Amino acid sequence: MIRPPAIAAFDAQPMHGRVVLVTGGAQGIGRGIAQAVLGAGGSVMLGDLDAEAGQACLAEWREPARAAFGRLHVAHEGSVKRWIASALKRFGRIDGLVNNAGIVSPHVASLTELSLASWNSYLATNLTGAFLCSKYALPALSEHRGAIVNIASTRALQSEPDSEAYAASKGGLVAFTHALAVSAGPQVRVNAILPGWIATDAWQKPSTRKAPKLSRQDHAQHPAGRVGTPEDIGAMAVYLLSDASGFVTGQHFVVDGGMTVKMQYV
């Protein structure tokens, strides 16, 4: 008679010994993901345009052996190549990449007033940045059967007026995710997280940090009963970066407190 597998112990430090690169990692959702990786036993290399925010993370974390920062412009190929090389020099390996950097404001102008330069800036930062970082991290990720997590948005699935550039860039990121999962597998898994309303006010650099101002109605409109936090996205990211999700690739996960499944009637 064949016996079933024994009960496996839960790994409380699923990122132990692993190195994760996080773009746009010094503030907001990116910082939440980086802290989740550190809390799960891993090491992080932050990349961000805001050097003040990056240095603030290192000063507040006090984890000099497991955290580093490098200034990064994800839409500039040379900057990406230097950042990846710096991470490899510092840590010697790459096990995970989180493509989080992006223009965060979804509203620009009506389509008839939207400039080509503005349109291109969204695509360059939100989509081309993920392409460049994935391209140059992929060889190192392949050596350790690593994982890529792309941070898209629920706006890839639903929209408000005058958000075409943002929606297109995030929708493109979802498609990029499943295409790369097929191309990079089985050495590298690729998944996407689609955050909903995430309150990031308290996750900024010290000079701009503040408590979020949220009403009872803000929380109540979520089936989960509250607005999201960067920790919510960090928890999902750790799962997708770890061996716990070893049979998961090419997928996108909505983390929005249930907002996209709630019917809205005015």
Side-chain angles (χ1 to χ4, degrees):
M1 180 179 178
I2 299 176
R3 292 183 174 274
I7 296 173
F10 179 79
D11 189 353
Q13 294 279 283
M15 301 306 297
H16 179 73
R18 302 189 183 192
V19 177
V20 177
L21 280 55
V22 185
T23 73
Q27 301 187 91
I29 287 175
R31 177 165 179 161
I33 292 170
Q35 291 190 191
V37 170
L38 290 169
S43 299
V44 294
M45 177 69 176
L46 301 180
D48 205 291
L49 272 174
D50 194 325
E52 178 190 346
Q55 294 302 328
C57 285
L58 301 186
E60 292 176 334
W61 291 341
R62 298 182 182 180
E63 290 283 357
R66 295 196 295 132
F69 169 76
R71 194 169 186 276
L72 171 67
H73 194 316
V74 294
H76 291 181
E77 190 169 20
S79 180
V80 171
K81 292 170 73 173
R82 289 189 294 272
W83 184 64
I84 298 290
S86 177
L88 286 169
K89 182 178 180 180
R90 172 66 184 272
F91 294 108
R93 61 187 289 156
I94 299 174
D95 301 276
L97 167 67
V98 180
N99 287 310
N100 168 73
I103 299 173
V104 298
S105 174
H107 303 286
V108 194
S110 66
L111 192 65
T112 56
E113 300 297 324
L114 182 64
S115 69
L116 179 59
S118 183
W119 169 270
N120 284 338
S121 69
Y122 275 85
L123 295 185
T125 304
N126 294 5
L127 186 54
T128 301
F131 153 70
L132 288 172
C133 291
S134 298
K135 174 180 179 176
Y136 289 108
L138 204 56
L141 287 166
S142 298
E143 292 181 14
H144 301 286
R145 298 187 72 86
I148 295 173
V149 176
N150 296 318
I151 306 302
S153 169
T154 51
R155 291 176 184 272
L157 307 177
Q158 56 180 179
S159 293
E160 292 179 299
D162 303 330
S163 60
E164 287 80 7
Y166 186 88
S169 68
K170 293 300 188 178
L173 195 54
V174 171
F176 175 75
T177 295
H178 61 69
L180 185 56
V182 174
S183 301
Q187 289 84 7
V188 177
R189 295 181 300 103
V190 188
N191 292 288
I193 300 174
L194 281 58
W197 185 351
I198 306 297
T200 62
D201 309 73
W203 293 76
Q204 305 304 312
K205 58 188 177 183
S207 62
T208 61
R209 190 176 298 160
K210 58 184 179 181
K213 293 182 179 180
L214 298 168
S215 70
R216 184 177 300 176
Q217 184 179 12
D218 292 336
H219 292 296
Q221 65 183 302
H222 293 75
R226 64 174 176 84
V227 173
T229 70
E231 289 107 327
D232 295 317
I233 309 305
M236 177 60 81
V238 165
Y239 166 70
L240 293 173
L241 291 164
S242 73
D243 288 340
S245 61
F247 196 54
V248 179
T249 193
Q251 306 303 309
H252 63 269
F253 296 86
V254 173
V255 182
D256 72 341
M259 282 290 285
T260 54
V261 299
K262 180 182 179 182
M263 297 183 73
Q264 305 285 339
Y265 292 105
V266 178

